[in-house]
Amino acid sequence: MTLKTLIAATSVVALACASAARAGDVPAYEAAPNWVEIVSIEDADQQEANDLIVSDRQVRIEQGLRWDYQDKVYRIAETTDLSRAGTQTFQWLPDKGDLIVHEISIIRDGEVIDVLEQGAELEVLRRERGLERGILDGSLTATIAIPGLAVGDQLRIRHSITTSDQALGDDVQSWVPLWRDRPATAGVRLGLATSNQADLARVRVSWPDDLNVRYQSGPNHELDEPEVRDGYRWLEVEMPLPEADPLPRDAPQRYRLPTTLQVGTFADWAEVSAKMAPLYRIEGSLDSLPDLVARVDAIAAQPLSDLKKAVDALELVQEDIRYLMNGLDGGNYIPQDVASTWELKYGDCKAKTVMLLALLDHLGIEAEAVLVSTNRGNAVPVSLPIPGAFNHVLVRAVIDGQEYFLDGTSSGANIKTVGNVPPFEYYLPIQDANASLIAIEQTLPRVPEGEMHFTFDGSAGVDLPTIGSFRMVVIGPGAVRANAIRDSIAERLRGGDAPGFDGRFQVTDVKFEDNEDDSEITFTISGIMPAIFSFDGRRAELEPSWFDKSADFTPDRARRQWRDIPVSLGRPSATLNTMRLTLPFDVNELEIDGNLQVQAEAAGKTFSRNVELDGNEVFVFEQVSSRGGEVAPEDILEERRKSQRIASETLTFVAPEGVERRWRFAGDADRSMLEPLEEAMARAIEFDPEESRPYLTRARFRSQTYDFEGSLEDFTAAIDIEATADLFKERAEVYAQVRDWVRAKADYEEAYALDPSPARAIALARVMENLGEVAEAKAMLELESGDTETQQLLAFAIAELEALQGNKTAGLQRIADELAADPNNPALLNGKCWFISTWQYQLSQGEEACRLAVERGENTAQALDSRAMYLMRVGDLDRARADIEEALSMAPGQEASLLLRGLIKLEQGDETGEQDVRAAIERRPGLMDTYSRWGFKVEPR
């Protein structure tokens, strides 16, 4: 030990005995105090999987002083450890105590290399780590890059930080995390950045025997009684603690806390409150601030209710004073005075609370400061009574007998929502005596902080796009944030999607309404979305209600040890949604499955639904409100049953049988009913003409409603903006629809060149068939390969080409070879049935394949279509017609089935078959070439 170190060690021992800390802006280099028991590395049962060899923390509590000593020995096992441990940082609060470095050494092959003795020193920085979050915590940071550290070394760092908090005076608090054994990761080293486990780890806390100290640990850990020796009590915890039992994810916060050791000198919550009370006295705080008093007097002079005056005062504090947490000069607990806050125009929760108290007092409104925790919720009551159980302070006011919690650090003060219950669960009033922890009654929000009002016009048809809008109303902090970026909100929506619609809402316009102030925002997003009805065959269904989805309450209490754990319901919340639907028919034609009116309660939530029907319009009002809190174990079963009943409250509207579908616009049909949709889509393009998405929306709509020429124009415009393989493929499909095989081939070739795949090759081959390029198409497909399913698709395509070349035997054999490898595959069976039927080849083999395809297939409508073709070929027209009718009942949009029904009818002598043929070709003209290839006469008369 050098002379410098010896002198320093003597002085620090004397300092410790005197129970005083000296504040310092530079680190001290001194020996550890004599009460520290330095652990031996040799005592550690070294495990290579751990990151630390030693993790020792010893805390000495004296009157008004906390001394934290830490000893860590790092294992430098790999190069990544050099960067993680090779630079050490230390933070401390110089207004409250010191950073004292005892040892920085490298242990290499049993030799101890004293880094400090070699002249290395810490560099002190003032690094305000939270400044970007408005936090000036007053801490200093000292850093050191360990010179000479190498893989295989051990690095030992021993230091202390002393703390004497100005606000707490003679009282002290300590909060030390205790870590548990991790789940089995035998032999797996997590790295210094991901694990704090050590071979030897402990926490020791000591204090004078005559000092009134309380202590506890938890959750799920009991402490041994402290040992008394040399006039001190010694409490020790060895780590790791046993691995914790798993907990359900919905357990309340108090069950899910990390295990900690708490130590404090406060007798109860009343003492904590009394310690803080002098800091929040406001007498005379406005005396020297005439301009601020004038602002408050202006509020008082208005003919307003006391609640509105309180909200205006709250708004003044929120908006005129920006947030900055100032931890300098005891500022972690000691608030700025009102004059400083008003002059500086910034302050933290403490400063804003003191200021708001002064304003409310001037207005004659009863109020007090209260401590809350923003992240511990219902865990606060199980904490030791220490100030560290809280991390926030705000104002509790009582106005007209009603309790209000006013937070100066929040934003969006609004009289509509100010009475909503905050999510803190408990508060401690700050007063001189007799304070106790008080539970905040969890009640339903008085007003939703957000509303959604939907309007959908589906009058054009049940299977056509819908013109819609949704009007969003937000009140409170969310409104302030949205108002600040309203221009960017509109910009982000331009040419894009409305939020929450998963790409299904093409925006055409965004309009903001004028509100009284920035605590509210109202805007409407207009646009186009898919059809509001969904189809199961011919059955069109609409579900205009959604609150049943909010009734999910399925807590997992399957383990016996979970049986007595309540279920957390989260914070209070409320949502209000309304919908106005315009239908293409009178609502009296609807088949309604479900209740139009519902009032129910389950698991802390209330559910309200009211649906009104008028003419061709449906009005839906739904609200779901949650009081938050939790469900007691004995109530879980009943609340689950109630929730299940609500979840079953689905509401389904079924469109009338025979409702008109989109194919009524095929051919030369009147398209005037589509003009509103065309206008909306034109607005979407004007909204952002540089984006391809609006053009694609209209291109697909026009294709669906058989305006092929208009669709091609829009696809071309989209490709001019964004030429992708998928867009070339889509345009090729429309060219194929109108039998423009040359352009279809060019687009498929471009798609294939950009993104070659077997599927694109097959599509290209189909087009080449119609241009007579059969051999070329077959040669191209024979170069393709893929997984089993892809090989089967290639086999079907090549078989068709072989049939076109006159070699039906080879084509059928190719399909048979695939079936031999997978004889029960319904797709292969259907392919065989179709090949035999269309080419009228080996019909004797078709009956069994067609039957099995129908019986085993998932796409029954397609299999029935194939069998109908087979039955027609063998002359069983009645059964063929029955099959095709059933296929169309399942898939009425299947144009090929419509064409086949017409052909079967004509074969039966039913002249109405001509209507089917004409309708099918108007919807899909390319069918003429395909069916002519198989010998059918499909030119419409």
Side-chain angles (χ1 to χ4, degrees), residues 462-533:
V462 293
D463 55 356
L464 291 175
T466 304
I467 299 172
S469 67
F470 63 96
R471 181 172 177 265
M472 183 181 297
V473 181
V474 182
I475 305 173
V480 175
R481 292 190 293 271
N483 271 308
I485 59 170
R486 58 193 293 173
D487 291 340
S488 64
I489 291 174
E491 189 62 30
R492 287 203 304 270
L493 290 169
R494 188 174 298 278
D497 303 316
F501 280 83
D502 300 326
R504 298 179 298 116
F505 194 106
Q506 173 65 55
V507 177
T508 61
D509 196 14
V510 181
K511 289 183 179 179
F512 290 85
E513 300 179 20
D514 292 330
N515 295 107
E516 291 184 4
D517 59 38
D518 66 351
S519 67
E520 295 187 35
I521 187 169
T522 305
F523 61 96
T524 301
I525 302 175
S526 302
I528 305 156
M529 63 178 293
I532 55 177
F533 280 86

Side-chain angles (χ1 to χ4, degrees), residues 516-578:
E516 291 184 4
D517 59 38
D518 66 351
S519 67
E520 295 187 35
I521 187 169
T522 305
F523 61 96
T524 301
I525 302 175
S526 302
I528 305 156
M529 63 178 293
I532 55 177
F533 280 86
S534 60
F535 284 85
D536 180 8
R538 293 183 182 275
R539 182 181 171 92
E541 296 182 347
L542 164 65
E543 295 183 357
S545 171
W546 55 83
F547 82 14
D548 54 287
K549 299 175 180 62
S550 301
D552 180 49
F553 182 71
T554 54
D556 181 4
R557 293 298 182 271
R559 303 189 186 204
R560 178 171 294 178
Q561 63 267 36
W562 294 356
R563 189 170 299 169
D564 296 327
I565 298 177
V567 177
S568 174
L569 300 176
R571 62 167 295 175
S573 64
T575 58
L576 171 63
N577 294 321
T578 68

Side-chain angles (χ1 to χ4, degrees), residues 302-576:
Q302 295 295 316
L304 306 171
S305 67
D306 282 350
L307 179 58
K308 183 61 171 72
K309 292 176 181 178
V311 172
D312 287 352
L314 175 61
E315 184 177 22
L316 188 158
V317 174
Q318 288 181 350
E319 296 191 357
D320 285 40
I321 308 300
R322 66 184 177 91
Y323 179 83
L324 179 66
M325 185 274 173
N326 186 358
L328 299 171
D329 300 322
N332 59 326
Y333 284 125
I334 301 174
Q336 287 175 168
D337 59 76
V338 177
S340 298
T341 301
W342 185 241
E343 178 185 358
L344 297 169
K345 292 297 186 288
Y346 66 69
D348 57 15
C349 62
K350 303 180 295 297
K352 284 175 170 261
T353 292
V354 171
M355 184 175 181
L356 182 55
L357 284 172
L359 303 187
L360 294 175
D361 179 70
H362 192 78
L363 291 169
I365 294 173
E366 177 187 348
E368 64 180 347
V370 297
L371 294 168
V372 298
S373 174
T374 61
N375 57 6
R376 292 177 63 81
N378 53 66
V380 172
V382 300
S383 168
L384 273 187
I386 54 177
F390 308 98
N391 65 353
H392 193 42
V393 62
L394 43 78
V395 172
R396 173 184 171 271
V398 177
I399 303 172
D400 298 329
Q402 179 65 54
E403 184 177 59
Y404 296 89
F405 292 89
L406 311 178
D407 189 349
T409 65
S410 185
S411 58
N414 190 290
I415 195 168
K416 297 176 184 176
T417 57
V418 70
N420 287 354
V421 176
F424 307 127
E425 297 195 55
Y426 287 86
Y427 72 89
L428 179 66
I430 297 178
Q431 54 194 46
D432 290 323
N434 302 322
S436 61
L437 199 62
I438 299 175
I440 300 174
E441 183 182 359
Q442 300 299 295
T443 61
L444 296 173
R446 296 166 193 167
V447 176
E449 294 184 1
E451 300 177 7
M452 295 283 282
H453 303 282
F454 298 88
T455 301
F456 296 131
D457 183 358
S459 58
V462 293
D463 55 356
L464 291 175
T466 304
I467 299 172
S469 67
F470 63 96
R471 181 172 177 265
M472 183 181 297
V473 181
V474 182
I475 305 173
V480 175
R481 292 190 293 271
N483 271 308
I485 59 170
R486 58 193 293 173
D487 291 340
S488 64
I489 291 174
E491 189 62 30
R492 287 203 304 270
L493 290 169
R494 188 174 298 278
D497 303 316
F501 280 83
D502 300 326
R504 298 179 298 116
F505 194 106
Q506 173 65 55
V507 177
T508 61
D509 196 14
V510 181
K511 289 183 179 179
F512 290 85
E513 300 179 20
D514 292 330
N515 295 107
E516 291 184 4
D517 59 38
D518 66 351
S519 67
E520 295 187 35
I521 187 169
T522 305
F523 61 96
T524 301
I525 302 175
S526 302
I528 305 156
M529 63 178 293
I532 55 177
F533 280 86
S534 60
F535 284 85
D536 180 8
R538 293 183 182 275
R539 182 181 171 92
E541 296 182 347
L542 164 65
E543 295 183 357
S545 171
W546 55 83
F547 82 14
D548 54 287
K549 299 175 180 62
S550 301
D552 180 49
F553 182 71
T554 54
D556 181 4
R557 293 298 182 271
R559 303 189 186 204
R560 178 171 294 178
Q561 63 267 36
W562 294 356
R563 189 170 299 169
D564 296 327
I565 298 177
V567 177
S568 174
L569 300 176
R571 62 167 295 175
S573 64
T575 58
L576 171 63

Side-chain angles (χ1 to χ4, degrees), residues 102-168:
H102 310 305
E103 178 183 0
I104 300 178
S105 62
I106 297 171
I107 304 167
R108 180 178 300 153
D109 299 327
E111 178 187 357
V112 178
I113 303 170
D114 191 330
V115 174
L116 297 177
E117 183 68 23
Q118 293 182 344
E121 291 187 348
L122 278 67
E123 181 182 0
V124 179
L125 309 171
R126 179 178 291 278
R127 188 183 69 172
E128 296 300 346
R129 293 166 294 146
L131 196 56
E132 70 281 0
R133 303 190 308 275
I135 298 173
L136 183 68
D137 63 10
S139 67
L140 290 181
T141 299
T143 68
I144 183 171
I146 310 299
L149 191 64
V151 173
D153 289 346
Q154 297 171 354
L155 173 64
R156 188 165 199 168
I157 309 287
R158 297 191 301 117
H159 75 282
S160 294
I161 294 176
T162 62
T163 305
S164 289
D165 196 295
Q166 303 95 320
L168 304 187

Side-chain angles (χ1 to χ4, degrees), residues 633-652:
E634 62 271 19
D635 297 330
I636 291 175
L637 180 58
E638 178 58 27
E639 296 304 317
R640 185 199 293 263
R641 289 170 176 162
K642 290 161 63 176
S643 296
Q644 289 171 342
R645 286 194 291 271
I646 296 172
S648 67
E649 286 285 358
T650 57
L651 180 62
T652 303

